[in-house]
Amino acid sequence: MDYVTLLQAAELMSVSVKTVRRRIADGTLPAYRCGRRVIRVRIADLDSAFRRIPSARW
């Protein structure tokens, strides 16, 4: 399965569906429309949506 629903994407990223929709709207997360209403996200794109946070050195 290469594509997931917005709910599944939110669960995989541990965020809300609203956050996933915001990421799609601002262009951070590419999404694909299947039909009139159905929106899907590629799992590979979810991996690239994460960015590394530099850790502080003590």
Side-chain angles (χ1 to χ4, degrees), residues 3 6 15-16 19-20 28 33 36-37 42 47-48 51 54 57:
Y3 294 89
L6 297 184
V15 297
S16 69
T19 300
V20 172
T28 307
R33 189 173 295 277
R36 284 184 75 200
R37 298 185 61 166
R42 282 188 355 185
D47 293 336
S48 63
R51 60 185 169 93
R57 296 197 178 207

Side-chain angles (χ1 to χ4, degrees), residues 7-42:
L7 179 61
Q8 292 168 331
E11 290 173 356
L12 288 170
M13 294 178 69
S14 299
V15 297
S16 69
V17 174
K18 189 173 182 177
T19 300
V20 172
R21 288 185 182 276
R22 278 196 302 258
R23 297 294 170 254
I24 292 169
D26 70 10
T28 307
L29 182 62
Y32 304 90
R33 189 173 295 277
C34 305
R36 284 184 75 200
R37 298 185 61 166
V38 180
I39 299 173
R40 297 286 188 251
V41 178
R42 282 188 355 185

Side-chain angles (χ1 to χ4, degrees), residues 44-57:
D45 292 334
L46 289 177
D47 293 336
S48 63
F50 288 104
R51 60 185 169 93
R52 185 168 186 250
I53 299 174
S55 61
R57 296 197 178 207

